[in-house]
Amino acid sequence: MISSLISGGNMMLDSIDPWVHAAFDPLHLSGVGAYWRVISASLLGHIVLLRLLPLASKLLFPNAYGRLSTADKHAWCVSLTTLVHSIYDSFFILAFINHPVLNDNKMDGFNQNFEYYLAVAMGYYMWDLSTCIINFADYGYMYLIHGSLGVFGLLIVISRHLQFYAIPYLLPELSSVFLHIRHLLKFAGYSNTLLYKVNFLIFLVAYVGIRIGFEAYHSARLVIDVYHKRTGHAFYPYAVFYAILGITLTTLNVIWLRQILKAAYYTLYPTTKKNKAKTN
């Protein structure tokens, strides 16, 4: 009975495949057609997770969650959702960061398991982009650009093109782990504790070292390779897009760094010294 239901469900999904290709990938240039089930399941999973987190937070963090306003409760749940994703991204990117096939052939290197993990991540980035669009007044143009580039960039790397470059462009999620922990600690009322300051310091070092340094280095190398047309068998317009993506992400990261350094000053610099400086 159960096996027949599963078989019937698979047959129905198989019949949908041509329609998905026709609607979202008519030229078979992206990985949507091949991974639409994985992407859809991941997207649905993030939506369900966000719906379940209020109940989980009431049970696990009754004091911290209970005293938050309605808006802050939603922000708390969004931070938890993004924290889960950042941990997932960091784990599988670190697992593949020294993969010999991807590193030896940055343009044409391919790994099936890595591609599957990227398709799962794609579901989150679609959810994130929809959140930016729906709440545009809160996020603004820079986050919308960042989210859009993430979606279109993943569409390329799950189509067996430039897969290596998912590593330098997703490894910065490691710094985002500490960013989301910072938000949660702030909501929980720990913004004046040593734990909060140590976490912020780790975030700052990871942000500068990975999100700006590591990402910018590989972006510059890709720009040089694209300029000299050393792109292997990769679809050249994809390589050009990824070069532009790297330049744009690095620019956004540098712009955000100014805000982070300002926050670092007020977080790490003793208040007494600030007050003394103002009186001098």
Side-chain angles (χ1 to χ4, degrees):
M1 177 68 179
I2 296 177
S3 60
S4 62
L5 287 174
I6 294 174
S7 177
N10 287 332
M11 289 179 62
M12 184 181 69
L13 291 174
D14 290 339
S15 66
I16 298 174
D17 279 343
W19 296 96
V20 174
H21 275 290
F24 299 103
D25 189 21
L27 299 178
H28 292 249
L29 291 177
S30 76
V32 172
Y35 286 103
W36 71 269
R37 302 179 196 183
V38 177
I39 295 170
S40 300
S42 175
L43 175 60
L44 180 61
H46 283 92
I47 294 172
V48 171
L49 176 62
L50 186 62
R51 299 299 181 189
L52 293 177
L53 280 175
L55 177 60
S57 297
K58 288 179 183 179
L59 295 175
L60 299 175
F61 312 102
N63 295 329
Y65 185 76
R67 63 169 175 261
L68 297 176
S69 65
T70 302
D72 285 345
K73 285 180 179 178
H74 177 71
W76 165 282
C77 293
V78 170
S79 293
L80 278 174
T81 303
T82 52
L83 174 61
V84 170
H85 167 76
S86 293
I87 292 173
Y88 168 83
D89 263 6
S90 301
F91 178 80
F92 86 78
I93 289 296
L94 287 173
F96 282 90
I97 192 169
N98 290 318
H99 193 279
V101 175
L102 297 177
N103 280 273
D104 291 344
N105 191 345
K106 292 180 173 57
M107 296 298 173
D108 299 319
F110 168 77
N111 182 273
Q112 184 73 47
N113 292 329
F114 189 53
E115 189 175 61
Y116 180 84
Y117 296 140
L118 292 172
V120 175
M122 178 70 176
Y124 164 80
Y125 283 99
M126 291 181 68
W127 171 81
D128 182 61
L129 178 60
S130 65
T131 301
C132 289
I133 294 173
I134 295 171
N135 303 286
F136 178 76
D138 297 326
Y139 287 89
Y141 283 104
M142 289 200 297
Y143 283 100
L144 182 62
I145 293 171
H146 185 272
S148 301
L149 290 175
V151 169
F152 288 111
L154 281 173
L155 284 175
I156 292 174
V157 294
I158 62 174
S159 61
R160 305 195 176 193
H161 292 268
L162 304 163
Q163 205 175 82
F164 166 82
Y165 287 96
I167 295 175
Y169 294 158
L170 288 182
L171 184 62
E173 285 297 320
L174 182 61
S175 68
S176 296
V177 170
F178 301 100
L179 174 64
H180 303 316
I181 291 175
R182 172 179 174 260
H183 291 158
L184 293 171
L185 288 173
K186 189 173 182 180
F187 283 130
Y190 291 94
S191 57
N192 293 320
T193 63
L194 179 62
L195 175 62
Y196 182 86
K197 294 178 180 180
V198 170
N199 177 79
F200 190 91
L201 183 60
I202 295 173
F203 161 67
L204 181 60
V205 172
Y207 187 96
V208 174
I210 300 174
R211 191 171 284 273
I212 292 182
F214 185 74
E215 187 176 285
Y217 167 73
H218 284 286
S219 297
R221 288 193 60 178
L222 178 58
V223 169
I224 294 171
D225 287 337
V226 169
Y227 178 78
H228 292 289
K229 295 188 176 181
R230 297 193 297 257
T231 56
H233 295 95
F235 188 41
Y236 189 71
Y238 284 173
V240 173
F241 173 81
Y242 248 77
I244 296 172
L245 183 150
I247 294 171
T248 306
L249 289 180
T250 301
T251 302
L252 291 175
N253 290 333
V254 171
I255 293 173
W256 284 326
L257 179 62
R258 180 179 177 275
Q259 301 174 7
I260 293 169
L261 290 176
K262 183 178 180 180
Y265 172 76
Y266 287 104
T267 300
L268 304 174
Y269 201 78
T271 305
T272 53
K273 290 185 178 180
K274 288 183 219 173
N275 293 335
K276 183 178 179 181
K278 290 180 180 179
T279 58
N280 290 340

